[in-house]
Amino acid sequence: MRTVQFTAYGPPSVVHVAEVPEPHAGPGEIRVAVRASGVAAGEIAIRSGRLRDLVPVAFPFRTGFDAAGVVDEVGDGVTGVRAGDAVFGAAGFTRRGANADHAVLTAWAAKPAAWSWEEAGGAAGAAETATRVLDRLAVAAGQTVLVNGAAGGTGAVVVQFAVARGATVIGTASGHNHGFLRSLGATPTTYGPGLPGRVPAGVDAVVDCAGGALPDLVAIAGDPARVVTIADFAAREHGVHLSSGATDPLAWHGLAVAAALADEGRLRVPVAAAFPLDEVAAAHELGETRHARGKIVLVP
Ligand SMILES: NC(=O)c1ccc[n+]([C@@H]2O[C@H](COP(=O)([O-])OP(=O)(O)OC[C@H]3O[C@@H](n4cnc5c(N)ncnc54)[C@H](OP(=O)(O)O)[C@@H]3O)[C@@H](O)[C@H]2O)c1
């Protein structure tokens, strides 16, 4: 089967399709014939070599954290899912390899009928991340949440999860994405210098999906403990928690929450662009701009 991988750090052109043996579902796992899979911003950063001192990897590095597809193997001990079912899910933090013809998933939920395959393919990582950070901040109805970097593949889902919890959400994005943020249920503002002056008082929690703004975000929240970043490796200097799969237990219950919200018409996974698997380098080029609106996905 085909898989996406890179064997050295470098520009988008180092990421390529390779032929490899098919993986198989082990105990507690399922395998899907992939219909769409997500391009992870974190893997774009890993590929570039920028994170080499922070995130050591072994080559070849097979990419892809989340995927959607049709179940074609069910591992021992798995219940509630059968061959032929449509699901979305994740390959696990260390295994990855979801940008492929077949992917082994360690966490999954039924694919909502309302979602296209492209939406479902990019959903799991964002749903897990949104749940993990909003749980950590105990975001609940009546609170006000600021999402920095709200128009990206992860931020757009964090916004909708926070709205679904009954929070009032303020999101940052470039001006041309403000209508998009309103459509997700957030009040938009621009990011960059002077942010504290553009955000009303009374923000209870801040989710940082962009990085580079922690002093302002701490000032807005009034307490570094009320800020969680998923994107800023300087977090510790500011007393802020950097949440990742390496620091926190992954919140897989978020997949079922996402499916339920989607079935109620309350969660979209905005798709910035879908590329054929063998055009993965172009997908990485788009991701590297850091201005994609929503998720970038790969399709067979
Ligand atoms: N730790 C974790 O568990 C975890 C999980 C998922 C993602 N992440 C990380 O979180 C970050 C976001 O992921 P993503 O999937 O949302 O990436 P993404 O889709 O590439 O994000 C693109 C978005 O970032 C916005 N943006 C660019 N520069 C910004 C800035 N200076 N301030 C605020 N927003 C800015 C852009 O908005 P405009 O186009 O409107 O300017 C665009 O909508 C990445 O660094 C990724 O590696 C971490």
Side-chain angles (χ1 to χ4, degrees):
M1 69 156 196
R2 298 172 303 161
T3 195
V4 169
Q5 64 178 33
F6 52 90
T7 56
Y9 297 124
S13 57
V14 303
V15 65
H16 61 273
V17 168
E19 282 293 328
V20 297
E22 290 180 7
H24 294 286
E29 301 172 337
I30 61 171
R31 190 181 82 165
V32 294
V34 176
R35 299 292 298 271
S37 62
V39 174
E43 291 182 344
I44 290 174
I46 289 172
R47 187 222 71 234
S48 74
R50 284 200 301 278
L51 304 183
R52 72 178 77 200
D53 295 331
L54 296 165
V55 185
V57 302
F59 296 124
F61 183 89
R62 291 190 192 172
T63 66
F65 186 71
D66 41 21
V70 177
V71 177
D72 67 359
E73 282 183 11
V74 177
D76 287 345
V78 173
T79 57
V81 66
R82 290 184 301 191
D85 287 353
V87 300
F88 72 103
F93 184 62
T94 49
R95 182 206 302 262
R96 301 179 187 258
N99 298 146
D101 287 321
H102 293 274
V104 171
L105 305 182
T106 55
W108 60 85
K111 173 186 164 292
W115 282 354
S116 64
W117 282 113
E118 286 83 355
E119 283 182 274
E128 184 284 321
T129 302
T131 305
R132 171 164 32 94
V133 296
L134 295 175
D135 281 357
R136 184 177 174 99
L137 289 162
V139 168
Q143 296 184 342
T144 298
V145 180
L146 172 67
V147 180
N148 187 43
T154 307
V157 170
V158 174
V159 165
Q160 294 173 87
F161 268 68
V163 168
R165 288 179 181 220
T168 297
V169 181
I170 303 165
T172 73
S174 302
H176 66 96
N177 279 328
H178 285 188
F180 172 64
L181 292 193
R182 280 190 203 95
S183 77
L184 302 177
T187 301
T189 190
T190 44
Y191 52 80
L195 183 61
R198 295 190 293 279
V199 175
V203 169
D204 299 293
V206 177
V207 179
D208 174 31
C209 302
L214 287 179
D216 279 352
L217 300 182
V218 170
I220 288 165
D223 179 351
R226 301 306 302 154
V227 180
V228 169
T229 183
I230 59 167
D232 199 320
F233 288 95
R236 191 186 292 237
E237 293 165 31
H238 303 281
V240 168
H241 180 66
L242 168 60
S243 177
S244 76
T247 60
D248 295 356
L250 294 178
W252 293 126
H253 58 287
L255 304 196
V257 176
L261 289 174
D263 286 339
E264 295 166 7
R266 298 164 72 202
L267 178 64
R268 295 155 46 201
V269 182
V271 174
F275 293 85
L277 204 62
D278 58 10
E279 293 178 23
V280 61
H284 273 227
E285 270 174 31
L286 174 60
E288 208 149 80
T289 66
R290 291 195 63 210
H291 289 294
R293 177 194 284 181
K295 263 321 270 192
I296 302 168
V297 299
L298 300 174
V299 292

